[in-house]
Amino acid sequence: MKCTVCRGPAVIDLRRHNANFCAEHFLKFCRDQVERTIDDFDMFAPGDRVLVAVSGGKDSLAAWHILRHLGYDATGLYIGLGIGEYSDTSHRYVAAFAAEHDAPLITVDLRERYGYDIPGGARAARRTPCSACGLSKRHVFDEAAIEGAFDAVATGHNLDDEAAVLFGNVLHWHTEYLGRQSPVLAARDGFPRKVKPLVRLGEREMAAYCIVAGIDYIVDECPMARGNRHLHYKAALNDIEAASPGAKADFYFGFLRRAADRFDGEAEAGREQLGRCDTCGAPSPVERCAFCRLVERAGGAVPVNAPTLRGAK
Amino acid sequence: MGSVLVRLRNPTRDIDMRGPMTVARLLNRLDLNRESVLVVRNRELVPGDALLADDDEVEIRPVISGGSA
Ligand code: SF4
Ligand SMILES: [Zn+2]
Ligand SMILES: [Zn+2]
């Protein structure tokens, strides 16, 4: 197998692109795809300050690595979720990456800052761990982005993630969610701009990128991840992809190009009127936001009058 | 007689397989979808047409978040 670009020995074949790449040209291919995504969707511009949510997994570390390689000003944000050994290990990978690449990293530990962790908080608030976790992460990302005056929050969602979510939303006709599938969400109502620069690359490419670039990441899954409902959508899409390379990208990008805007109205109608949380100042449809209720029920310290700059931008 | 030592993940476990064989053949024998895994030897990617010899040690790494191999 030879590299499509230089005819040297290839390390990976990408059937969707009908191409094989050597290590060097594969890294370049991935970076080009990300650059193109940033341009096509007007995600951010050179000089903008980007906050990358990093978990220690392959996607977010690859995203951080690629953005820095492309010359963007990318700071990492790691959240200590307090999920036992998984959290300890993932933090080690993130800290090692930051040290090796001399990359700025912000760490927010839920226990230290808010007095709870995900397993305990979920139990106390009678939520599933992933729901407590998602709520916590969103709050901390938003807060850190606004506090640090970042221009955008970037996450490591890849083509497989987005295609699987789209597949689920189409399967069940969740039309209000179909209007929010864009890889870029504009800043509004005190929420920061959110972008997904990896949507042109699949999971296999992201894992390969880390291996080829020598990035160590946590391979073991979060122990709470069992039963993730997107998993069988991903498996189904991969079966289709095996028979018909390019199907996932056609499905996702075809939707964005030809259908997404038909659901704008439903997304808008489903949007709640937002005021401010009395306690933390975050945008919220009710007096006390879901995050502050979680913190309170988990017995942690409610962030009374946290000095946020919400809405200042 | 040697064999190829194959490490699978989530959970981590090792199996021995009779070589030599190509990576593609290995994935076939384990009934794994080539979209869902990568094969790594000495921290390097091994392409599908590469030959695995006896005494090689390879890791089959799942690439789907939440997935296993
Ligand atoms: S699997 Fe659930 S609990 Fe674990 S990190 Fe992901 S969202 Fe959080
Ligand atoms: Zn090449
Ligand atoms: Zn609040």
Side-chain angles (χ1 to χ4, degrees):
Chain A
M1 197 167 86
K2 288 192 166 61
C3 173
T4 306
V5 181
C6 71
R7 314 304 298 162
V11 295
I12 189 164
D13 59 314
L14 301 182
R15 293 206 303 156
R16 165 159 71 95
H17 294 281
N18 211 354
N20 309 316
F21 292 113
C22 68
E24 179 194 336
H25 289 117
F26 176 64
L27 295 178
K28 179 172 186 317
F29 164 82
C30 292
R31 292 168 189 154
D32 289 350
Q33 294 290 314
V34 172
E35 184 82 273
R36 188 176 150 198
T37 308
I38 294 168
D39 289 348
D40 282 357
F41 292 97
D42 252 330
M43 290 185 167
F44 42 81
D48 281 354
R49 295 179 59 245
V50 182
L51 187 63
V52 188
V54 286
S55 66
K58 64 187 192 311
D59 302 300
S60 55
L61 288 181
W64 198 10
H65 192 266
I66 293 173
L67 291 182
R68 291 178 52 80
H69 239 274
L70 292 172
Y72 291 104
D73 180 352
T75 297
L77 170 64
Y78 175 81
I79 304 177
L81 302 168
I83 306 178
E85 204 187 318
Y86 167 76
S87 285
D88 298 342
T89 309
S90 60
H91 184 235
R92 268 203 305 281
Y93 282 110
V94 171
F97 180 99
E100 187 186 335
H101 296 89
D102 203 10
L105 171 66
I106 299 171
T107 301
V108 175
D109 187 87
L110 290 183
R111 259 191 229 121
E112 271 169 32
R113 179 138 173 194
Y114 300 106
Y116 74 101
D117 55 32
I118 293 303
R123 227 176 298 120
R126 293 168 193 271
R127 282 176 172 262
T128 64
C130 292
S131 131
C133 185
L135 173 63
S136 306
K137 285 192 227 171
R138 279 193 300 277
H139 181 91
V140 175
F141 292 158
D142 292 351
E143 190 169 71
I146 302 287
E147 271 179 16
F150 285 92
D151 296 293
V153 177
T155 52
H157 294 94
N158 58 45
L159 175 60
D160 290 80
D161 297 324
E162 296 306 293
V165 170
L166 175 61
F167 193 65
N169 286 340
V170 168
L171 207 55
H172 300 290
W173 293 111
H174 290 311
T175 48
E176 75 281 17
Y177 295 136
L178 287 174
R180 293 183 215 152
Q181 289 250 198
S182 167
V184 42
L185 295 176
R188 60 166 190 102
D189 295 345
F191 288 114
R193 184 175 182 79
K194 294 189 181 153
V195 299
K196 299 174 180 171
L198 300 188
V199 291
R200 218 174 268 286
L201 295 162
E203 305 220 61
R204 182 167 171 266
E205 282 123 77
M206 295 334 300
Y209 182 90
C210 287
I211 294 164
V212 174
I215 301 167
D216 289 324
Y217 64 91
I218 184 162
V219 176
D220 294 322
E221 288 298 328
C222 171
M224 312 282 174
R226 275 166 243 272
N228 179 336
R229 76 201 146 85
H230 289 132
L231 213 54
H232 61 270
Y233 296 149
K234 284 186 179 173
L237 287 170
N238 274 341
D239 282 343
I240 297 171
E241 182 81 17
S244 168
K248 283 184 288 200
D250 280 351
F251 178 53
Y252 177 65
F253 287 102
F255 171 80
L256 290 183
R257 247 190 333 267
R258 311 164 78 135
D261 57 5
R262 298 176 195 213
F263 299 96
D264 283 352
E266 311 219 15
E268 199 48 55
R271 209 162 261 161
E272 292 162 306
Q273 279 303 310
L274 294 180
R276 293 276 175 261
C277 169
D278 280 351
T279 309
C280 74
S284 165
V286 289
E287 280 173 17
R288 174 170 276 196
C289 76
F291 176 76
C292 287
R293 276 178 285 153
L294 169 67
V295 174
E296 184 187 42
R297 293 177 75 175
V302 178
V304 181
N305 292 330
T308 56
L309 302 168
R310 296 230 179 237
K313 274 193 75 186
Chain B
M1 266 273 337
S3 56
V4 182
L5 178 73
V6 181
R7 165 157 294 185
L8 301 163
R9 305 292 295 248
N10 286 337
T12 299
R13 61 219 188 270
D14 294 338
I15 55 172
D16 287 318
M17 297 195 53
R18 175 76 67 81
M21 66 188 143
T22 63
V23 164
R25 173 96 188 100
L26 168 69
L27 297 183
N28 253 332
R29 276 167 69 178
L30 294 171
D31 199 20
L32 289 170
N33 183 330
R34 42 180 289 128
E35 282 294 315
S36 322
V37 295
L38 289 169
V39 178
V40 184
R41 181 176 54 194
N42 297 328
R43 303 190 77 207
E44 288 189 2
L45 269 187
V46 205
D49 60 355
L51 201 62
L52 302 175
D54 280 343
D55 298 328
D56 264 348
E57 292 184 20
V58 296
E59 175 192 340
I60 298 188
R61 189 175 291 189
V63 300
I64 303 194
S65 303
S68 61

